[in-house]
């Protein structure tokens, strides 16, 4: 294959959405809230939690694509507004981001109360029916409980004034924000998790394998499991990805790139072993590499391991993960 074809294959793979169960469950719950609002005017709120790389931002993008902005002669209509909460969010910065997204030409000017009332006016004028706050833990990460309380309180009053359903998406730590503000907590009584492993019928290993094979079916070369069984490969995939879609995708994308560049014609555990070390964890060799026959079958979540709790970067680079 030519380099250009390789690039197209990789891009197509990167853009593919796979309806894995928790992703679909979250989308359906969000859509049900939107329908409830459209039919009855009742605004229900939802919290979607997932570690980095579990698909939160992708879920927002998918919904934005399903409910696109309409450009009318007199105004733009934005049925679903996606707000990426800025790092170290304050009331002023939150208001500015929302105003900017709604097309306010002077999003950072005015006092907080002026901005807040412009936010409400624009939400109505643009016929916004739902707001999704991605990276909502940034509100919590601000640090001092007093500041969190103020931002949380402002959001609570914004949600009440807007009268539309909202979704907060963030890493599990986001629950801490709601502990601080009881009134906000009451509004988000419904919580969903994007992690695999919530099914009563399928094990987490089985779910990882399903996701791997669904993603693999989008590739131009086949997946193979030898010398392992598919079931065992599923288990190894779980340890290699922590059950997060982003890592399964990263492994497959790197394996595909390598296979296309070197004319290998399948994606085998041997190739996955190599790309795990290169793409996920450079210290992941031998018994610390889930695709190696000597792997010790344990979660790689200790200090300086790729799935260390609360870690958002891979030890390989120490840079923030792309996702
Ligand atoms: N449903 C899905 N199907 C296929 N790939 C997905 C899906 N959800 C997420 N991904 C991929 O996983 C990676 C991380 O997703 P992202 O939405 O950025 O996670 P998060 O926001 O939770 O950190 C991205 O490369 C994205 O393309
Ligand atoms: Mg994200």
């Amino acid at each position: 294959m030519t380099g250009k074809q390789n690039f197209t294959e990789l891009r197509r793979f990167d853009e593919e959405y796979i309806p894995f169960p928790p992703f679909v469950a979250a989308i359906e719950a969000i859509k049900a809230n939107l329908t409830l609002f459209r039919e009855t005017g009742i605004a229900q709120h939802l919290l979607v939690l997932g570690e980095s790389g579990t698909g939160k931002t992708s879920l927002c993008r998918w919904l934005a694509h399903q409910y696109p902005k309409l450009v009318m002669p007199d105004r733009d209509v934005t049925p679903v507004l996606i707000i990426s909460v800025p790092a170290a969010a304050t009331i002023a910065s939150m208001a500015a981001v929302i105003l900017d997204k709604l097309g306010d030409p002077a999003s950072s000017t005015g006092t907080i109360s002026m901005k807040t009332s412009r936010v409400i006016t624009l939400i109505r004028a643009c016929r916004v029916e739902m707001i999704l706050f991605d990276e909502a833990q940034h509100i919590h990460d601000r640090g001092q409980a007093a500041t969190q309380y103020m931002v949380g309180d402002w959001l609570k009053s914004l949600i009440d004034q807007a009268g539309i359903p909202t979704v907060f998406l963030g890493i599990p730590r986001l629950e801490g924000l709601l502990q601080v503000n009881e009134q906000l907590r009451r509004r988000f009584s419904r919580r969903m998790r994007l992690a695999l492993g919530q099914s009563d019928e399928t094990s987490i290993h089985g779910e990882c394998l399903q996701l791997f094979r669904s993603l693999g079916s989008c590739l131009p070369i086949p997946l193979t499991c030898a010398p392992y069984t598919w079931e065992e490969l599923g288990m190894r995939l779980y340890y290699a990805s922590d059950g997060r879609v982003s890592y399964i995708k990263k492994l497959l994308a790197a394996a595909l790139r390598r296979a296309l560049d070197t004319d290998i014609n399948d994606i085998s555990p041997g190739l996955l072993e190599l790309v795990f070390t290169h793409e996920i964890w450079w210290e992941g060799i031998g018994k610390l590499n889930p695709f190696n026959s000597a792997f010790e079958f344990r979660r790689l979540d200790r200090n300086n391991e790729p799935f260390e709790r609360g870690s958002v970067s891979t030890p390989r680079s120490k840079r923030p993960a792309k996702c």
Side-chain angles (χ1 to χ4, degrees):
M1 259 193 238
T2 66
K4 197 170 167 201
Q5 271 173 313
N6 290 357
F7 182 70
T8 312
E9 296 288 357
L10 281 163
R11 208 176 58 189
R12 189 180 309 141
F13 174 69
D14 196 46
E15 287 166 359
E16 203 74 41
Y17 281 99
I18 300 295
F20 62 96
F23 190 85
V24 174
I27 283 178
E28 282 178 355
I30 293 170
K31 280 183 163 177
N33 276 2
L34 190 55
T35 307
L36 179 75
F37 175 70
R38 284 179 170 171
E39 287 174 3
T40 67
I42 295 172
Q44 284 198 335
H45 309 286
L46 188 69
L47 193 62
V48 177
L49 302 170
E51 296 291 352
S52 161
T54 49
K56 301 177 297 295
T57 302
S58 304
L59 199 149
C60 293
R61 283 207 199 107
W62 193 88
L63 284 160
H65 187 254
Q66 292 287 303
Y67 300 95
K69 182 165 154 178
L70 306 171
V71 180
M72 313 285 248
D74 56 336
R75 63 170 172 263
D76 292 352
V77 172
T78 308
V80 173
L81 179 67
I82 316 263
I83 300 296
S84 187
V85 177
T90 58
I91 296 175
S93 66
M94 282 289 289
V97 170
I98 302 174
L99 287 173
D100 200 39
K101 267 280 184 139
L102 290 172
D104 188 314
S107 58
S108 52
T109 58
T111 61
I112 284 176
S113 69
M114 280 157 75
K115 279 190 200 161
T116 309
S117 74
R118 264 170 29 228
V119 166
I120 298 295
T121 307
L122 275 175
I123 284 175
R124 297 205 178 116
C126 298
R127 307 231 186 116
V128 179
E129 295 171 301
M130 176 178 264
I131 310 179
L132 282 85
F133 292 96
D134 192 16
E135 307 267 23
Q137 77 278 358
H138 284 161
I139 306 164
H140 176 57
D141 283 347
R142 180 78 177 143
Q144 289 175 356
T147 320
Q148 285 165 30
Y149 192 85
M150 277 165 56
V151 180
D153 226 32
W154 179 79
L155 272 172
K156 185 210 69 194
S157 109
L158 186 77
I159 290 167
D160 289 352
Q161 284 182 65
I164 57 175
T166 62
V167 183
F168 276 32
L169 301 100
I171 57 174
R173 227 176 22 231
L174 169 59
E175 276 194 306
L177 162 74
L178 301 178
Q179 297 307 328
V180 175
N181 191 315
E182 206 219 324
Q183 287 185 316
L184 200 54
R185 183 171 67 222
R186 268 197 279 120
R187 282 161 182 74
F188 289 89
S189 52
R190 178 126 192 250
R191 285 144 205 225
M192 304 199 71
R193 293 183 179 272
L194 275 181
L196 294 181
Q198 299 178 69
S199 160
D200 293 334
E201 288 114 48
T202 316
S203 67
I204 193 163
H205 310 142
E207 284 193 326
C208 281
L209 183 65
Q210 268 172 15
L211 187 52
F212 178 72
R213 292 179 95 166
S214 304
L215 284 164
S217 68
C218 311
L219 303 181
I221 53 173
L223 308 174
T224 56
C225 66
Y228 309 124
T229 59
W230 283 112
E231 201 187 343
E232 184 174 338
L233 183 64
M235 201 175 300
R236 291 173 183 274
L237 278 164
Y238 164 63
Y239 290 110
S241 66
D242 197 43
R244 303 188 208 178
V245 58
S246 64
Y247 287 94
I248 295 186
K249 208 162 177 176
K250 206 175 204 178
L251 283 169
L252 273 172
L256 175 65
R257 216 179 313 125
R258 211 166 260 262
L260 294 175
D261 287 349
T262 52
D263 284 330
I264 295 174
N265 45 28
D266 63 355
I267 294 182
S268 63
L271 182 56
L272 292 172
E273 180 178 345
L274 195 76
V275 298
F276 179 84
T277 312
H278 280 260
E279 298 289 323
I280 296 188
W281 188 30
W282 67 273
E283 284 175 82
I285 45 177
K287 65 181 185 176
L288 292 178
N289 187 313
F291 301 104
N292 186 291
S293 58
F295 180 60
E296 51 186 35
F297 289 92
R298 66 160 179 88
R299 290 193 66 195
L300 300 172
D301 59 357
R302 296 182 189 160
N303 255 358
N304 286 320
E305 292 185 347
F307 309 117
E308 184 184 340
R309 272 172 80 88
S311 137
V312 289
S313 61
T314 65
R316 174 176 171 254
S317 60
K318 295 283 183 201
R319 273 181 278 123
K322 190 179 130 242
C323 42

